[in-house]
Amino acid sequence: ALGPNYARARIRRWDGALVHALPIATHAGHYGGWLMAVERGALLTALGAAAGSVTFGREIIGVQPRGSAVEVRFGDGGAEAFDAVIGADGFASRVRTVLGRDGSARPAGMTAWLGASGNRSGSPRCTTTFEGQGRRFLHLPHAEGAWWYAYTHDSLGVTDGRSLRHAFRHFPALVVDAIEDAPAESILRFTLRDRPPSDAWGRGRVTLLGDAAHACTPDLGQGVCMALEDAISLGNHLHASPDLELRLRAYEAERRPRTADLQRASWAISQ
């Protein structure tokens, strides 16, 4: 397995009081799998192995339709023609910008902090989320310790590892110990933002996938999941019709309602 799977998920208040317990194990059969946490590096390695040839370090500066092909121009002066272009290049997608779909980014007023702890406290197959007072903390245990994600409202003025520890000092020991166990310099910081749902993703033989198409805040934990769903949907549609442009538009039409709903829901929770 790429990562640990969990039989239970719990949501608690900032003081530890239980709000909700989700028995994931009872739903695993219905949904065809368990809740699993996968380290990004492990996921990228697995996807890269499945993709075959991957070229790094070539910046796209232009995408231009050329009859039944699409020409991609690169920052190194080179250009190549492809049957289609799928812009899966993230929040700051150059492909989306070239398409003129570059909707304004919305700051969520929250900051995310990512860390890892060697502390093995907590139930090994249970994720726990603590919420309250403009703060949220997600604890994901694994065999060597735990991954954790903290979210702080920008009004709290949390700017570094030291002030992060101070912000969560009144939370349960599981939270305090996990943050204390992570060296301050190892904690990653991200400003949370999204883009409002778009009515159109692609044009011609060009389309978008993942955050390039539907960036959202991480409040529902669905960003990577939606990208993987996109890939499955796109693959299904590419085998469904001889008309490539029709297949790409059908893929977009299938995916937009679901991703837009999740974007709106994630944004509402973040506020």
Side-chain angles (χ1 to χ4, degrees):
L2 289 178
N5 55 55
Y6 303 101
R8 301 177 307 282
R10 292 173 181 159
I11 299 176
R12 298 183 179 274
R13 294 193 331 179
W14 67 271
D15 59 2
L18 182 66
V19 175
H20 182 67
L22 179 63
I24 298 171
T26 63
H27 301 295
H30 175 74
Y31 290 106
W34 298 79
L35 174 65
M36 177 183 289
V38 181
E39 191 175 22
R40 183 176 294 271
L43 177 61
L44 292 177
T45 298
L47 293 175
S53 177
V54 179
T55 301
F56 295 96
R58 299 196 77 187
E59 179 188 10
I60 292 177
I61 61 173
V63 176
Q64 182 67 44
R66 299 291 186 192
S68 61
V70 181
E71 182 184 80
V72 178
R73 291 183 290 109
F74 298 96
D76 58 10
E80 294 185 40
F82 301 92
D83 292 333
V85 171
I86 314 300
D89 47 343
F91 191 96
S93 170
R94 180 60 61 88
V95 176
R96 186 187 62 246
T97 300
V98 169
L99 286 169
R101 312 290 194 212
D102 204 28
S104 298
R106 294 187 297 186
M110 299 282 287
T111 298
W113 307 83
L114 281 64
S117 167
N119 191 316
R120 299 187 183 184
S121 301
S123 302
R125 296 192 63 200
C126 178
T127 73
T128 308
T129 302
F130 301 86
E131 297 198 45
Q133 300 186 327
R135 305 160 176 85
R136 183 184 306 142
F137 188 93
L138 172 62
H139 184 264
L140 295 164
H142 57 81
E144 286 76 40
W147 300 302
W148 56 261
Y149 301 80
Y151 303 90
T152 56
H153 196 279
D154 290 349
S155 64
L156 297 173
V158 180
T159 58
D160 54 23
R162 182 176 179 180
S163 56
L164 179 68
R165 293 185 177 96
H166 183 76
F168 284 91
R169 68 192 184 282
H170 297 309
F171 275 59
L174 180 68
V175 176
V176 175
D177 292 346
I179 298 176
E180 287 287 348
D181 194 53
E185 65 275 9
S186 72
I187 299 174
L188 303 180
R189 175 185 179 182
F190 299 93
T191 298
L192 297 187
R193 52 185 180 163
D194 83 341
R195 296 185 191 276
S198 174
D199 292 333
W201 291 0
R203 184 173 63 249
R205 293 183 168 221
V206 183
T207 192
L208 303 173
L209 183 152
D211 277 358
H214 44 70
C216 66
T217 60
D219 297 87
L220 290 174
Q222 290 295 302
V224 174
C225 298
M226 287 194 291
L228 294 174
E229 290 177 357
D230 286 350
I232 293 170
S233 173
L234 179 60
N236 290 338
H237 281 286
L238 288 177
H239 289 90
S241 166
D243 187 325
L244 184 53
E245 291 189 27
L246 181 65
R247 290 178 253 171
L248 296 180
R249 301 295 85 77
Y251 147 73
E252 295 166 0
E254 178 186 302
R255 293 297 298 153
R256 277 201 311 271
R258 171 169 168 76
T259 58
D261 284 348
L262 288 170
Q263 283 177 281
R264 295 187 187 101
S266 293
W267 179 259
I269 294 172
S270 76
Q271 301 305 294

